[in-house]
Amino acid sequence: TLVASLAVNLLIAGAVVGAFARDKDPQNRVTRDITMPYSRAVDPQDRRDLLRSMQKALRSDRPTRTEVRAEYDRALELLRSEPFDAEALELHLTAQGARSQHRIEVGQQVLLNYLTGLDNGARAAYADRLEEGLSKGFQRGPRGEEPASRKN
């Protein structure tokens, strides 16, 4: 349905703005790979403003690097504990995931606000840039296979 399609699109779009904020962090390479077409499709003149909007929206509850490192240190403790407590690790990972989900949701809203503010021509230009980026990014097909259009 339309609602389900919109929900999926918003989920993906949310990751876009998250990629802006995390773009310099090499640990976020997978997220960047997934969201990069969306972020690259944003008009270059608007990217900085979009990043600032994202940072402003997350500023109030953004953990410090020390706090983030402490979360990973706790995960390391849980992984090395004997006996291993899978339930405690699951709870810890779930809490970390919830914080990531919050960033995605904020990113969704920032991107949606940006796209909603565009006129029809600018939104169409965004779609064109997105489509161009996707065609360049997926020229090799899945797992290095040639796309169907190139197969004999």
Side-chain angles (χ1 to χ4, degrees):
T1 68
L2 180 60
V3 174
S5 175
L6 180 59
V8 170
N9 288 337
L10 287 176
L11 179 62
I12 293 169
V16 173
V17 179
F20 286 118
R22 296 184 299 262
D23 197 46
K24 295 177 183 169
D25 186 349
Q27 294 180 353
N28 294 307
R29 201 167 282 153
V30 172
T31 300
R32 274 198 316 266
D33 289 348
I34 293 168
T35 62
M36 194 55 68
Y38 288 100
S39 60
R40 285 188 176 159
V42 172
D43 186 307
Q45 296 175 354
D46 295 337
R47 284 186 192 144
R48 185 172 300 264
D49 291 337
L50 202 60
L51 173 58
R52 285 186 182 131
S53 294
M54 177 72 176
Q55 290 171 333
K56 182 179 178 184
L58 290 172
R59 188 171 294 135
S60 64
D61 62 347
R62 184 176 180 178
T64 65
R65 289 177 193 239
T66 302
E67 291 168 334
V68 170
R69 178 58 199 224
E71 288 182 358
Y72 284 101
D73 288 343
R74 176 66 181 141
L76 290 169
E77 289 174 20
L78 291 168
L79 287 165
R80 292 183 172 127
S81 68
E82 292 186 24
F84 175 65
D85 187 347
E87 188 174 312
L89 181 60
E90 180 181 13
L91 289 171
H92 183 74
L93 293 174
T94 299
Q96 281 184 306
R99 285 183 287 283
S100 294
Q101 182 61 34
H102 172 70
R103 291 180 63 86
I104 289 170
E105 290 168 1
V106 169
Q108 289 172 345
Q109 193 58 55
V110 169
L111 183 65
L112 183 60
N113 290 345
Y114 166 75
L115 295 172
T116 301
L118 298 178
D119 62 31
N120 290 340
R123 200 168 40 259
Y126 172 87
D128 291 344
R129 289 188 302 270
L130 176 60
E131 184 174 42
E132 180 181 345
L134 291 171
S135 67
K136 288 179 182 177
F138 292 103
Q139 288 178 355
R140 297 213 51 177
R143 298 195 183 262
E145 297 173 14
E146 292 297 320
S149 64
R150 290 191 186 172
K151 291 182 181 178
N152 295 332

